[in-house]
Amino acid sequence: MKVYKAHILFTKERNRFEVLENSYVAVDGNGRVTGVSTDLTSLVADASERRKPGFEDTEIIDFGDRLLIPAMNDMHVHAAQYRNQGIAMDMELLPWLQNYTFPEETKYADTGYAERMYRRFVHDMWRVGTMRNCTFATIHTESTRVLMHLFQEAGMGSLVGKVGMNRNCTEKLSESVEQMVQGYESLITEFNNPDGLVRPIITPRFIPSCTPEMLRACGELAAKYHLHVQSHLSENKEEIALVQKLEPESTCYGDAYDRYGLFGQTPTVMAHCVFTEKEELELMKRRSVMVAHCPTSNLNVTTGIAPIRLFLDEGLPVGLGSDISGGHSLNIFQIMVYAIQMSKLHYQRNHARAFLTLSEAFWMATKSAGSFFGQVGSFEPGYEFDALVIDDHDLNHDNYSLLERLERFIYLGDDRQIAHRFCRGKEIPEPKQ
Ligand code: GUN
Ligand code: FE
């Protein structure tokens, strides 16, 4: 067993931080938290009673005056758009996809190009302290396999989606339904260990990109292999109108996925939900569909302000996503800041719904998002120990409180303050670039 000592901060509940000064978190040999406490003796006695290795093999690692917090989770990101990060911000969604995104993704037919880009992507995920993610790759099975191997090599968690696409795109970025199913099955054979940190996730790009046959095949794969599902939902008004045209029987965009078994029949995360209205919201609640809120992307691709306070009040699970390259920042701490600021713009228009607090943003990025991966994102007993050690001495020049120190790190900090990263109990070294 390992015991880590530091100032420990996390969000068991969304409305408040747990703040434990000079405290301890105990982690067992499986990488799970057995307890957290200000009192070492009771913590070690408790844990050893339960697990019986005794005091002797307990190693205590003292991080001194540093902060220990749960690691970040990125619930929506496109690994294959990494080259486009920070460029091409002058169009709305549908022309942006056609003009910038699809041409870039076409390059991933070349596994050499894919490896070069994906190495940098995995490295930078590590750098910003994101230990788990849900990512889109491309239609290309072999490049997707490269990305999965790189995450495995790094020891970080990722649900990786080979992207399903066969309409409204060029021939080079299109696959037949049979090819899609075969590609998935080959990845599933290699990676579908239910305990694995890296696993496939069924990923129809969005309704406009997939024929009914492809959507049906995606739903069947998810059901057959018990795989999670990710896609895009209600991001842009033109997109929503197009979905209504393509799937005229559907009662809302979410219902179009639901008809194919792609809306919570297995754990599902949907990015954006900017224009989700009552019927879609009710369906999402019934199916426990998670929202991946991507505020930077919603600003850059000019979609709109998602009603996150409403989703939280309604009890929908919500996590945060960078949505590179619609979004420009990979750093989930920055995404928290944007989520709070966007909610303040929403509030200025409609005072009926309060803006988000820091603890809510932190909770969405950690415990709420982490539930998609199992017990991840908190330091409660049984949770997998995914953690960051923050050395903020350069920001802490005037005896700030522990909570103020965390807030300043979130608003002002970057990867330079991240001193150590842990995923499932293991310290994760810098991946090779
Ligand atoms: N909808 C379908 N594909 C995409 C994508 O790559 N990015 C965003 N932001 N929305 C999408
Ligand atoms: Fe996206």
Short mmCIF file of all heavy atoms in Angstrom, two decimals, residues 95-150:
data_model
loop_
_atom_site.label_atom_id
_atom_site.label_comp_id
_atom_site.label_asym_id
_atom_site.label_seq_id
_atom_site.Cartn_x
_atom_site.Cartn_y
_atom_site.Cartn_z
N PRO A 95 -19.54 24.27 -42.96
CA PRO A 95 -18.41 24.60 -43.85
C PRO A 95 -17.05 24.37 -43.20
O PRO A 95 -16.09 23.99 -43.89
CB PRO A 95 -18.63 26.08 -44.18
CG PRO A 95 -19.71 26.57 -43.29
CD PRO A 95 -20.45 25.40 -42.77
N TRP A 96 -16.94 24.56 -41.91
CA TRP A 96 -15.68 24.31 -41.18
C TRP A 96 -15.29 22.83 -41.32
O TRP A 96 -14.12 22.51 -41.59
CB TRP A 96 -15.88 24.71 -39.71
CG TRP A 96 -14.75 24.40 -38.79
CD1 TRP A 96 -13.63 25.15 -38.58
CD2 TRP A 96 -14.65 23.27 -37.90
NE1 TRP A 96 -12.83 24.55 -37.63
CE2 TRP A 96 -13.43 23.39 -37.20
CE3 TRP A 96 -15.46 22.15 -37.64
CZ2 TRP A 96 -13.01 22.46 -36.25
CZ3 TRP A 96 -15.03 21.24 -36.70
CH2 TRP A 96 -13.82 21.40 -36.02
N LEU A 97 -16.27 21.95 -41.19
CA LEU A 97 -15.98 20.51 -41.34
C LEU A 97 -15.48 20.23 -42.76
O LEU A 97 -14.45 19.57 -42.95
CB LEU A 97 -17.23 19.67 -41.06
CG LEU A 97 -17.65 19.51 -39.60
CD1 LEU A 97 -19.02 18.85 -39.50
CD2 LEU A 97 -16.62 18.69 -38.82
N GLN A 98 -16.21 20.72 -43.75
CA GLN A 98 -15.89 20.40 -45.15
C GLN A 98 -14.55 20.99 -45.58
O GLN A 98 -13.79 20.37 -46.31
CB GLN A 98 -17.00 20.92 -46.09
CG GLN A 98 -18.36 20.26 -45.91
CD GLN A 98 -18.41 18.81 -46.38
OE1 GLN A 98 -17.54 18.33 -47.08
NE2 GLN A 98 -19.43 18.08 -45.96
N ASN A 99 -14.27 22.21 -45.13
CA ASN A 99 -13.09 22.93 -45.63
C ASN A 99 -11.81 22.67 -44.86
O ASN A 99 -10.73 22.75 -45.43
CB ASN A 99 -13.37 24.43 -45.64
CG ASN A 99 -14.31 24.80 -46.77
OD1 ASN A 99 -13.92 24.81 -47.93
ND2 ASN A 99 -15.56 25.04 -46.43
N TYR A 100 -11.92 22.43 -43.58
CA TYR A 100 -10.70 22.29 -42.76
C TYR A 100 -10.53 20.91 -42.14
O TYR A 100 -9.44 20.36 -42.10
CB TYR A 100 -10.70 23.32 -41.62
CG TYR A 100 -10.71 24.76 -42.08
CD1 TYR A 100 -11.74 25.61 -41.70
CD2 TYR A 100 -9.70 25.26 -42.89
CE1 TYR A 100 -11.75 26.94 -42.10
CE2 TYR A 100 -9.71 26.58 -43.30
CZ TYR A 100 -10.74 27.42 -42.90
OH TYR A 100 -10.74 28.72 -43.31
N THR A 101 -11.62 20.38 -41.62
CA THR A 101 -11.52 19.19 -40.77
C THR A 101 -11.40 17.91 -41.60
O THR A 101 -10.50 17.11 -41.35
CB THR A 101 -12.76 19.14 -39.84
OG1 THR A 101 -12.83 20.39 -39.17
CG2 THR A 101 -12.65 18.03 -38.83
N PHE A 102 -12.30 17.76 -42.56
CA PHE A 102 -12.26 16.54 -43.36
C PHE A 102 -10.95 16.40 -44.14
O PHE A 102 -10.35 15.31 -44.16
CB PHE A 102 -13.49 16.43 -44.27
CG PHE A 102 -14.81 16.25 -43.52
CD1 PHE A 102 -16.03 16.36 -44.17
CD2 PHE A 102 -14.83 15.96 -42.15
CE1 PHE A 102 -17.24 16.19 -43.50
CE2 PHE A 102 -16.04 15.80 -41.46
CZ PHE A 102 -17.24 15.92 -42.14
N PRO A 103 -10.44 17.48 -44.78
CA PRO A 103 -9.15 17.33 -45.47
C PRO A 103 -8.02 16.90 -44.53
O PRO A 103 -7.18 16.08 -44.90
CB PRO A 103 -8.88 18.73 -46.03
CG PRO A 103 -10.23 19.36 -46.16
CD PRO A 103 -11.06 18.80 -45.04
N GLU A 104 -8.01 17.42 -43.31
CA GLU A 104 -6.96 17.01 -42.36
C GLU A 104 -7.11 15.53 -41.99
O GLU A 104 -6.15 14.77 -41.97
CB GLU A 104 -7.01 17.91 -41.11
CG GLU A 104 -6.03 17.53 -40.00
CD GLU A 104 -4.56 17.54 -40.42
OE1 GLU A 104 -4.22 18.18 -41.42
OE2 GLU A 104 -3.75 16.84 -39.75
N GLU A 105 -8.33 15.11 -41.69
CA GLU A 105 -8.54 13.72 -41.28
C GLU A 105 -8.21 12.73 -42.40
O GLU A 105 -7.82 11.59 -42.13
CB GLU A 105 -9.99 13.52 -40.78
CG GLU A 105 -10.24 14.26 -39.47
CD GLU A 105 -11.57 13.92 -38.81
OE1 GLU A 105 -12.19 12.91 -39.18
OE2 GLU A 105 -11.99 14.67 -37.91
N THR A 106 -8.34 13.19 -43.65
CA THR A 106 -8.02 12.32 -44.79
C THR A 106 -6.55 11.86 -44.74
O THR A 106 -6.22 10.76 -45.18
CB THR A 106 -8.32 13.07 -46.11
OG1 THR A 106 -9.69 13.50 -46.07
CG2 THR A 106 -8.12 12.18 -47.32
N LYS A 107 -5.69 12.70 -44.16
CA LYS A 107 -4.26 12.37 -44.12
C LYS A 107 -3.95 11.13 -43.27
O LYS A 107 -2.87 10.57 -43.36
CB LYS A 107 -3.47 13.54 -43.54
CG LYS A 107 -3.54 14.83 -44.33
CD LYS A 107 -2.69 15.86 -43.61
CE LYS A 107 -2.88 17.25 -44.13
NZ LYS A 107 -2.27 18.24 -43.22
N TYR A 108 -4.92 10.72 -42.43
CA TYR A 108 -4.65 9.62 -41.50
C TYR A 108 -4.75 8.24 -42.15
O TYR A 108 -4.62 7.21 -41.48
CB TYR A 108 -5.55 9.74 -40.26
CG TYR A 108 -5.04 10.83 -39.33
CD1 TYR A 108 -5.17 12.18 -39.68
CD2 TYR A 108 -4.39 10.53 -38.16
CE1 TYR A 108 -4.68 13.19 -38.87
CE2 TYR A 108 -3.89 11.52 -37.34
CZ TYR A 108 -4.04 12.85 -37.70
OH TYR A 108 -3.53 13.83 -36.88
N ALA A 109 -4.94 8.24 -43.49
CA ALA A 109 -4.77 6.97 -44.22
C ALA A 109 -3.31 6.54 -44.10
O ALA A 109 -2.99 5.35 -44.20
CB ALA A 109 -5.15 7.18 -45.68
N ASP A 110 -2.43 7.50 -43.86
CA ASP A 110 -0.99 7.24 -43.73
C ASP A 110 -0.65 7.03 -42.24
O ASP A 110 -0.69 7.99 -41.45
CB ASP A 110 -0.26 8.46 -44.32
CG ASP A 110 1.24 8.42 -44.11
OD1 ASP A 110 1.74 7.49 -43.43
OD2 ASP A 110 1.91 9.35 -44.60
N THR A 111 -0.31 5.80 -41.88
CA THR A 111 -0.06 5.53 -40.45
C THR A 111 1.20 6.24 -39.95
O THR A 111 1.33 6.49 -38.75
CB THR A 111 0.07 4.01 -40.18
OG1 THR A 111 1.03 3.49 -41.08
CG2 THR A 111 -1.24 3.28 -40.33
N GLY A 112 2.12 6.56 -40.86
CA GLY A 112 3.33 7.29 -40.45
C GLY A 112 2.97 8.70 -40.00
O GLY A 112 3.41 9.17 -38.94
N TYR A 113 2.12 9.36 -40.80
CA TYR A 113 1.64 10.70 -40.41
C TYR A 113 0.86 10.60 -39.09
O TYR A 113 1.05 11.41 -38.17
CB TYR A 113 0.74 11.26 -41.52
CG TYR A 113 0.22 12.64 -41.23
CD1 TYR A 113 1.05 13.75 -41.35
CD2 TYR A 113 -1.10 12.85 -40.80
CE1 TYR A 113 0.58 15.03 -41.05
CE2 TYR A 113 -1.57 14.12 -40.51
CZ TYR A 113 -0.74 15.21 -40.64
OH TYR A 113 -1.19 16.47 -40.34
N ALA A 114 0.00 9.58 -39.02
CA ALA A 114 -0.82 9.40 -37.81
C ALA A 114 0.08 9.25 -36.59
O ALA A 114 -0.14 9.88 -35.56
CB ALA A 114 -1.72 8.18 -37.97
N GLU A 115 1.12 8.44 -36.70
CA GLU A 115 1.96 8.21 -35.52
C GLU A 115 2.63 9.50 -35.07
O GLU A 115 2.70 9.81 -33.88
CB GLU A 115 3.00 7.12 -35.78
CG GLU A 115 3.86 6.97 -34.54
CD GLU A 115 4.75 5.75 -34.51
OE1 GLU A 115 4.61 4.88 -35.38
OE2 GLU A 115 5.58 5.70 -33.58
N ARG A 116 3.11 10.28 -36.05
CA ARG A 116 3.79 11.53 -35.71
C ARG A 116 2.83 12.47 -34.96
O ARG A 116 3.18 13.03 -33.93
CB ARG A 116 4.30 12.17 -37.01
CG ARG A 116 5.16 13.37 -36.82
CD ARG A 116 6.11 13.55 -38.00
NE ARG A 116 5.44 13.88 -39.25
CZ ARG A 116 5.03 15.11 -39.58
NH1 ARG A 116 5.25 16.12 -38.77
NH2 ARG A 116 4.44 15.33 -40.73
N MET A 117 1.63 12.63 -35.47
CA MET A 117 0.66 13.54 -34.83
C MET A 117 0.16 12.97 -33.51
O MET A 117 0.04 13.67 -32.51
CB MET A 117 -0.53 13.77 -35.77
CG MET A 117 -0.22 14.61 -36.95
SD MET A 117 0.31 16.28 -36.46
CE MET A 117 1.31 16.68 -37.87
N TYR A 118 -0.15 11.68 -33.51
CA TYR A 118 -0.73 11.07 -32.30
C TYR A 118 0.27 11.04 -31.14
O TYR A 118 -0.11 11.15 -29.98
CB TYR A 118 -1.25 9.66 -32.61
CG TYR A 118 -2.57 9.62 -33.38
CD1 TYR A 118 -2.91 8.49 -34.13
CD2 TYR A 118 -3.48 10.67 -33.33
CE1 TYR A 118 -4.12 8.42 -34.82
CE2 TYR A 118 -4.69 10.60 -34.02
CZ TYR A 118 -5.00 9.49 -34.76
OH TYR A 118 -6.20 9.41 -35.43
N ARG A 119 1.55 10.87 -31.46
CA ARG A 119 2.56 10.90 -30.39
C ARG A 119 2.53 12.24 -29.66
O ARG A 119 2.57 12.32 -28.44
CB ARG A 119 3.97 10.72 -30.96
CG ARG A 119 4.43 9.32 -30.89
CD ARG A 119 5.91 9.14 -31.09
NE ARG A 119 6.15 7.73 -31.34
CZ ARG A 119 6.13 6.79 -30.40
NH1 ARG A 119 5.95 7.10 -29.13
NH2 ARG A 119 6.32 5.53 -30.71
N ARG A 120 2.45 13.30 -30.44
CA ARG A 120 2.42 14.64 -29.85
C ARG A 120 1.12 14.84 -29.06
O ARG A 120 1.12 15.42 -27.97
CB ARG A 120 2.54 15.69 -30.96
CG ARG A 120 2.56 17.10 -30.45
CD ARG A 120 2.99 18.04 -31.54
NE ARG A 120 4.42 18.11 -31.63
CZ ARG A 120 5.17 19.04 -31.03
NH1 ARG A 120 4.61 19.98 -30.30
NH2 ARG A 120 6.47 19.06 -31.17
N PHE A 121 0.04 14.33 -29.61
CA PHE A 121 -1.26 14.46 -28.94
C PHE A 121 -1.24 13.77 -27.57
O PHE A 121 -1.64 14.36 -26.55
CB PHE A 121 -2.35 13.85 -29.85
CG PHE A 121 -3.71 13.79 -29.23
CD1 PHE A 121 -4.49 14.93 -29.13
CD2 PHE A 121 -4.22 12.59 -28.75
CE1 PHE A 121 -5.76 14.89 -28.55
CE2 PHE A 121 -5.48 12.54 -28.17
CZ PHE A 121 -6.24 13.69 -28.08
N VAL A 122 -0.75 12.52 -27.54
CA VAL A 122 -0.73 11.77 -26.28
C VAL A 122 0.21 12.47 -25.29
O VAL A 122 -0.10 12.61 -24.10
CB VAL A 122 -0.28 10.30 -26.53
CG1 VAL A 122 -0.05 9.57 -25.22
CG2 VAL A 122 -1.33 9.57 -27.36
N HIS A 123 1.35 12.92 -25.79
CA HIS A 123 2.29 13.63 -24.93
C HIS A 123 1.63 14.86 -24.30
O HIS A 123 1.75 15.11 -23.09
CB HIS A 123 3.52 14.07 -25.75
CG HIS A 123 4.46 14.89 -24.95
ND1 HIS A 123 4.35 16.26 -24.86
CD2 HIS A 123 5.51 14.54 -24.17
CE1 HIS A 123 5.29 16.72 -24.06
NE2 HIS A 123 6.01 15.69 -23.62
N ASP A 124 0.90 15.61 -25.11
CA ASP A 124 0.33 16.87 -24.61
C ASP A 124 -0.85 16.63 -23.68
O ASP A 124 -1.09 17.41 -22.76
CB ASP A 124 -0.03 17.79 -25.78
CG ASP A 124 1.24 18.32 -26.47
OD1 ASP A 124 2.35 18.04 -25.97
OD2 ASP A 124 1.11 19.00 -27.49
N MET A 125 -1.58 15.55 -23.89
CA MET A 125 -2.62 15.14 -22.93
C MET A 125 -1.99 14.92 -21.56
O MET A 125 -2.52 15.32 -20.53
CB MET A 125 -3.24 13.80 -23.34
CG MET A 125 -4.44 13.84 -24.19
SD MET A 125 -5.81 14.57 -23.36
CE MET A 125 -7.02 14.47 -24.63
N TRP A 126 -0.86 14.21 -21.58
CA TRP A 126 -0.11 13.97 -20.34
C TRP A 126 0.31 15.30 -19.72
O TRP A 126 0.14 15.54 -18.53
CB TRP A 126 1.13 13.11 -20.66
CG TRP A 126 2.07 12.97 -19.51
CD1 TRP A 126 2.03 12.02 -18.53
CD2 TRP A 126 3.20 13.82 -19.22
NE1 TRP A 126 3.05 12.23 -17.65
CE2 TRP A 126 3.78 13.32 -18.04
CE3 TRP A 126 3.74 14.95 -19.83
CZ2 TRP A 126 4.91 13.91 -17.45
CZ3 TRP A 126 4.86 15.54 -19.25
CH2 TRP A 126 5.43 15.02 -18.08
N ARG A 127 0.84 16.16 -20.57
CA ARG A 127 1.40 17.43 -20.10
C ARG A 127 0.35 18.25 -19.34
O ARG A 127 0.64 18.80 -18.28
CB ARG A 127 1.90 18.22 -21.33
CG ARG A 127 2.70 19.45 -21.03
CD ARG A 127 3.43 19.95 -22.28
NE ARG A 127 2.55 20.26 -23.37
CZ ARG A 127 1.83 21.38 -23.47
NH1 ARG A 127 1.91 22.31 -22.55
NH2 ARG A 127 1.03 21.57 -24.50
N VAL A 128 -0.88 18.29 -19.85
CA VAL A 128 -1.91 19.12 -19.22
C VAL A 128 -2.65 18.39 -18.09
O VAL A 128 -3.59 18.94 -17.51
CB VAL A 128 -2.93 19.67 -20.25
CG1 VAL A 128 -2.23 20.58 -21.24
CG2 VAL A 128 -3.66 18.53 -20.97
N GLY A 129 -2.23 17.16 -17.79
CA GLY A 129 -2.80 16.48 -16.62
C GLY A 129 -4.12 15.78 -16.85
O GLY A 129 -4.88 15.53 -15.91
N THR A 130 -4.40 15.45 -18.11
CA THR A 130 -5.63 14.70 -18.42
C THR A 130 -5.30 13.22 -18.51
O THR A 130 -4.62 12.80 -19.45
CB THR A 130 -6.24 15.21 -19.74
OG1 THR A 130 -6.54 16.61 -19.59
CG2 THR A 130 -7.52 14.47 -20.08
N MET A 131 -5.77 12.44 -17.57
CA MET A 131 -5.38 11.02 -17.51
C MET A 131 -6.40 10.11 -18.17
O MET A 131 -6.13 8.94 -18.40
CB MET A 131 -5.15 10.60 -16.06
CG MET A 131 -3.92 11.24 -15.42
SD MET A 131 -2.35 10.72 -16.18
CE MET A 131 -1.81 12.26 -16.91
N ARG A 132 -7.60 10.61 -18.44
CA ARG A 132 -8.61 9.79 -19.17
C ARG A 132 -9.29 10.69 -20.20
O ARG A 132 -9.52 11.87 -19.94
CB ARG A 132 -9.70 9.27 -18.24
CG ARG A 132 -9.19 8.66 -16.97
CD ARG A 132 -9.36 7.18 -16.93
NE ARG A 132 -8.86 6.70 -15.64
CZ ARG A 132 -9.02 5.48 -15.19
NH1 ARG A 132 -9.65 4.58 -15.91
NH2 ARG A 132 -8.53 5.13 -14.02
N ASN A 133 -9.64 10.07 -21.30
CA ASN A 133 -10.36 10.84 -22.31
C ASN A 133 -11.24 9.95 -23.16
O ASN A 133 -11.08 8.73 -23.18
CB ASN A 133 -9.36 11.60 -23.20
CG ASN A 133 -8.48 10.65 -23.99
OD1 ASN A 133 -8.93 10.03 -24.95
ND2 ASN A 133 -7.23 10.50 -23.59
N CYS A 134 -12.17 10.60 -23.86
CA CYS A 134 -12.96 9.96 -24.91
C CYS A 134 -12.55 10.66 -26.18
O CYS A 134 -12.80 11.87 -26.32
CB CYS A 134 -14.45 10.20 -24.71
SG CYS A 134 -15.10 9.42 -23.25
N THR A 135 -11.93 9.94 -27.10
CA THR A 135 -11.40 10.62 -28.28
C THR A 135 -11.94 10.04 -29.58
O THR A 135 -12.21 8.84 -29.68
CB THR A 135 -9.85 10.61 -28.27
OG1 THR A 135 -9.38 11.44 -29.33
CG2 THR A 135 -9.27 9.24 -28.47
N PHE A 136 -12.06 10.90 -30.57
CA PHE A 136 -12.36 10.49 -31.93
C PHE A 136 -11.02 10.35 -32.65
O PHE A 136 -10.17 11.24 -32.54
CB PHE A 136 -13.15 11.56 -32.68
CG PHE A 136 -14.62 11.65 -32.33
CD1 PHE A 136 -15.04 11.77 -31.02
CD2 PHE A 136 -15.58 11.63 -33.34
CE1 PHE A 136 -16.40 11.87 -30.71
CE2 PHE A 136 -16.93 11.73 -33.04
CZ PHE A 136 -17.34 11.85 -31.73
N ALA A 137 -10.84 9.25 -33.38
CA ALA A 137 -9.69 9.13 -34.29
C ALA A 137 -10.22 9.49 -35.69
O ALA A 137 -10.74 10.59 -35.88
CB ALA A 137 -9.11 7.74 -34.22
N THR A 138 -10.11 8.59 -36.65
CA THR A 138 -10.68 8.79 -37.99
C THR A 138 -11.31 7.47 -38.43
O THR A 138 -11.35 6.51 -37.66
CB THR A 138 -9.58 9.17 -39.02
OG1 THR A 138 -8.59 8.13 -39.01
CG2 THR A 138 -8.93 10.51 -38.69
N ILE A 139 -11.70 7.41 -39.70
CA ILE A 139 -12.26 6.15 -40.22
C ILE A 139 -11.19 5.06 -40.33
O ILE A 139 -11.52 3.89 -40.45
CB ILE A 139 -12.89 6.34 -41.63
CG1 ILE A 139 -11.81 6.72 -42.66
CG2 ILE A 139 -13.99 7.37 -41.62
CD1 ILE A 139 -12.28 6.54 -44.11
N HIS A 140 -9.91 5.44 -40.25
CA HIS A 140 -8.83 4.51 -40.60
C HIS A 140 -8.49 3.57 -39.44
O HIS A 140 -7.99 4.01 -38.41
CB HIS A 140 -7.59 5.30 -41.01
CG HIS A 140 -7.90 6.36 -42.03
ND1 HIS A 140 -8.09 7.69 -41.69
CD2 HIS A 140 -8.10 6.27 -43.37
CE1 HIS A 140 -8.37 8.39 -42.80
NE2 HIS A 140 -8.38 7.55 -43.83
N THR A 141 -8.73 2.28 -39.65
CA THR A 141 -8.53 1.31 -38.57
C THR A 141 -7.08 1.25 -38.12
O THR A 141 -6.81 1.23 -36.91
CB THR A 141 -8.97 -0.10 -39.06
OG1 THR A 141 -10.34 -0.01 -39.45
CG2 THR A 141 -8.82 -1.15 -37.97
N GLU A 142 -6.13 1.23 -39.05
CA GLU A 142 -4.73 1.04 -38.63
C GLU A 142 -4.19 2.26 -37.89
O GLU A 142 -3.45 2.12 -36.92
CB GLU A 142 -3.86 0.65 -39.82
CG GLU A 142 -4.16 -0.76 -40.35
CD GLU A 142 -4.39 -1.80 -39.25
OE1 GLU A 142 -3.55 -1.89 -38.32
OE2 GLU A 142 -5.42 -2.51 -39.29
N SER A 143 -4.57 3.45 -38.31
CA SER A 143 -4.15 4.65 -37.57
C SER A 143 -4.79 4.67 -36.18
O SER A 143 -4.16 5.08 -35.21
CB SER A 143 -4.56 5.91 -38.31
OG SER A 143 -3.88 6.00 -39.50
N THR A 144 -6.04 4.23 -36.11
CA THR A 144 -6.72 4.18 -34.81
C THR A 144 -5.98 3.22 -33.87
O THR A 144 -5.78 3.50 -32.69
CB THR A 144 -8.19 3.75 -34.99
OG1 THR A 144 -8.80 4.62 -35.94
CG2 THR A 144 -8.95 3.79 -33.69
N ARG A 145 -5.53 2.11 -34.44
CA ARG A 145 -4.77 1.14 -33.65
C ARG A 145 -3.46 1.78 -33.12
O ARG A 145 -3.06 1.55 -31.99
CB ARG A 145 -4.44 -0.09 -34.52
CG ARG A 145 -4.01 -1.32 -33.74
CD ARG A 145 -3.51 -2.44 -34.65
NE ARG A 145 -4.41 -2.83 -35.72
CZ ARG A 145 -5.44 -3.65 -35.59
NH1 ARG A 145 -5.73 -4.18 -34.42
NH2 ARG A 145 -6.20 -3.95 -36.62
N VAL A 146 -2.83 2.59 -33.97
CA VAL A 146 -1.60 3.28 -33.54
C VAL A 146 -1.89 4.14 -32.31
O VAL A 146 -1.17 4.12 -31.32
CB VAL A 146 -1.05 4.16 -34.70
CG1 VAL A 146 0.03 5.12 -34.21
CG2 VAL A 146 -0.51 3.28 -35.83
N LEU A 147 -2.99 4.90 -32.38
CA LEU A 147 -3.34 5.77 -31.26
C LEU A 147 -3.60 4.95 -29.99
O LEU A 147 -3.16 5.32 -28.89
CB LEU A 147 -4.58 6.61 -31.62
CG LEU A 147 -5.10 7.56 -30.55
CD1 LEU A 147 -4.04 8.58 -30.12
CD2 LEU A 147 -6.36 8.30 -31.02
N MET A 148 -4.28 3.83 -30.14
CA MET A 148 -4.58 3.00 -28.97
C MET A 148 -3.30 2.45 -28.36
O MET A 148 -3.14 2.42 -27.13
CB MET A 148 -5.56 1.89 -29.36
CG MET A 148 -6.91 2.48 -29.80
SD MET A 148 -8.12 1.25 -30.32
CE MET A 148 -8.85 0.79 -28.75
N HIS A 149 -2.37 2.03 -29.20
CA HIS A 149 -1.09 1.54 -28.68
C HIS A 149 -0.33 2.64 -27.95
O HIS A 149 0.30 2.39 -26.92
CB HIS A 149 -0.23 0.98 -29.81
CG HIS A 149 -0.65 -0.40 -30.22
ND1 HIS A 149 -0.48 -0.89 -31.50
CD2 HIS A 149 -1.25 -1.40 -29.53
CE1 HIS A 149 -0.96 -2.13 -31.57
NE2 HIS A 149 -1.43 -2.46 -30.39
N LEU A 150 -0.40 3.86 -28.48
CA LEU A 150 0.33 4.96 -27.83
C LEU A 150 -0.25 5.27 -26.45
O LEU A 150 0.50 5.52 -25.50
CB LEU A 150 0.31 6.21 -28.72
CG LEU A 150 1.17 6.10 -29.98
CD1 LEU A 150 0.91 7.29 -30.91
CD2 LEU A 150 2.66 6.02 -29.63
#
